[in-house]
Amino acid sequence: MDWQELEAFRILAQELHFGRTAERLHLSRGRVSQLIKTLEHRIGAPLFDRTSRRVSLTPIGRRLFADLEPHHLGIVASLARATDAARGIGGTLAAGFSSPLAGEAILRIADAFRTDHPDCEVVVCEVQLSDRYGPLRAGALDLALIEFPVDEPDLVSGPAIFFDQRVLAVSAGHRLADRDAVSVEDLKGETSITIAGLPQYFLDAFIPSPSDGTRPIEAATSWQELLTLVAADRGVAVCAAQGADYYARPTITYLPFTDTAPVAYGLVWRSSGETAMVRAFTQTAVATSKTVR
């Protein structure tokens, strides 16, 4: 049996169009037709009904396609496992995330990664904002999907995977709460509440400064504490828009900024831990990023 005949049959059974089948196989339409006729001759019956307007599977063709597909997928998976073994891609990869939206993204990426690399398992866990880099440095995580920027000499910042708009969280009774949106200048005189342990360069990039240059900051020990302080009107918090979806409270209002760039989320890993599996996961993340907010 000629493998090319079977592949031409499979693709034509999916497309039901000789032109599209030829494009997918990088063959001429005449060559595709020849392969199909040869296979039909081997079997002894037509596999497709052809007219000038349409192509359809015969009952024998439908049965053959249903019988062949599981075996084809098994062969492809076997080749993928052999290729992964040759490249050193196998085992368990530990991936972290720092926010709900990043968690959803990492799960989607992990599902696609397992499909492409059947011998790999992905374990996911949350990264606390107060210790963004600790699990990576300790080797508990192979990579993490977190907010940028990351400027650490022992860590590598990979590609941005998705972006989320920057918003300002204020108490329901705050002077800005009735606005539809805010600007950076509205931060004048406000205390910005953030999470303790975040590096200064991150705060400088994440929390914009109004024109007077003042930016008093108060640190909370956790995200829930931060929200409680905001609700109590102890200050305001610059955060990503996903907060309005995942941490909605009747005592807090989330206002979009009109003049700030969105927050970028990307993959980070140890410079000493850039394995073939980390590179493969990053490639999958980039390929699937267009489906993420």
Side-chain angles (χ1 to χ4, degrees), residues 34-52:
Q34 180 184 34
L35 290 168
I36 296 301
K37 287 179 181 178
T38 302
L39 182 59
E40 290 176 328
H41 179 73
R42 290 182 191 275
I43 291 172
L47 300 174
F48 297 92
D49 288 324
R50 309 164 179 83
T51 69
S52 59

Side-chain angles (χ1 to χ4, degrees), residues 128-134 137 152 194-203 217-222:
Q128 299 300 322
L129 291 173
S130 58
D131 188 23
R132 294 185 353 133
Y133 312 132
R137 287 172 170 150
E152 304 291 322
T194 187
I195 301 296
L198 291 171
Q200 187 61 47
Y201 71 81
F202 179 84
L203 296 177
I217 293 176
E218 181 177 337
T221 59
S222 68

Side-chain angles (χ1 to χ4, degrees), residues 22-170:
E23 289 177 3
R24 284 181 60 178
L25 293 173
H26 303 289
L27 298 173
S28 68
R29 293 182 61 159
R31 178 57 177 158
V32 171
S33 180
Q34 180 184 34
L35 290 168
I36 296 301
K37 287 179 181 178
T38 302
L39 182 59
E40 290 176 328
H41 179 73
R42 290 182 191 275
I43 291 172
L47 300 174
F48 297 92
D49 288 324
R50 309 164 179 83
T51 69
S52 59
R53 294 187 176 182
R54 64 191 295 267
V55 177
S56 60
L57 283 162
T58 65
I60 293 176
R62 286 195 296 271
R63 177 62 183 271
L64 178 61
F65 180 71
D67 288 344
L68 281 177
E69 196 63 6
H71 299 290
H72 170 79
L73 295 175
I75 291 171
V76 170
S78 297
L79 291 172
R81 285 192 290 268
T83 301
D84 284 350
R87 295 176 178 173
I89 303 175
T92 300
L93 181 138
F97 63 92
S98 62
S99 70
L101 202 57
E104 293 180 5
I106 211 78
L107 287 174
R108 283 193 291 267
I109 297 165
D111 286 343
F113 182 72
R114 292 188 192 98
T115 299
D116 293 339
H117 306 282
D119 278 355
C120 295
E121 183 54 54
V122 181
V123 176
V124 300
C125 62
E126 184 180 7
V127 174
Q128 299 300 322
L129 291 173
S130 58
D131 188 23
R132 294 185 353 133
Y133 312 132
L136 283 170
R137 287 172 170 150
L141 292 177
D142 296 299
L143 47 72
L145 181 56
I146 61 177
E147 300 84 354
F148 279 176
V150 174
D151 186 13
E152 304 291 322
D154 58 333
L155 301 178
V156 176
S157 294
I161 301 304
F162 70 93
F163 299 84
D164 199 8
Q165 294 300 314
R166 212 173 302 242
V167 300
L168 185 68
V170 302

Side-chain angles (χ1 to χ4, degrees), residues 142-293:
D142 296 299
L143 47 72
L145 181 56
I146 61 177
E147 300 84 354
F148 279 176
V150 174
D151 186 13
E152 304 291 322
D154 58 333
L155 301 178
V156 176
S157 294
I161 301 304
F162 70 93
F163 299 84
D164 199 8
Q165 294 300 314
R166 212 173 302 242
V167 300
L168 185 68
V170 302
S171 71
H174 192 275
R175 64 181 179 87
L176 300 172
D178 292 334
R179 298 270 197 92
D180 293 327
V182 294
S183 69
V184 172
E185 290 304 295
D186 288 320
L187 291 175
K188 285 182 178 179
E190 298 289 346
T191 296
S192 293
I193 303 174
T194 187
I195 301 296
L198 291 171
Q200 187 61 47
Y201 71 81
F202 179 84
L203 296 177
D204 290 341
F206 196 84
I207 302 175
S209 295
S211 58
D212 63 5
T214 60
R215 189 176 52 180
I217 293 176
E218 181 177 337
T221 59
S222 68
W223 181 250
Q224 293 302 323
E225 181 180 315
L226 179 149
L227 293 177
T228 300
L229 292 174
V230 170
D233 213 12
R234 289 274 299 275
V236 299
V238 177
C239 55
Q242 60 186 281
D245 297 327
Y246 295 97
Y247 302 107
R249 291 189 180 190
T251 53
I252 293 179
T253 300
Y254 294 90
L255 303 167
F257 278 97
T258 60
D259 53 357
T260 61
V263 182
Y265 290 75
L267 292 172
V268 180
W269 58 86
R270 296 185 310 280
S271 56
S272 61
E274 189 169 328
T275 64
M277 190 154 56
V278 166
R279 289 193 294 272
F281 189 88
T282 303
Q283 291 171 355
T284 300
V286 171
T288 59
S289 64
K290 62 184 178 181
T291 64
V292 180
R293 171 173 166 179

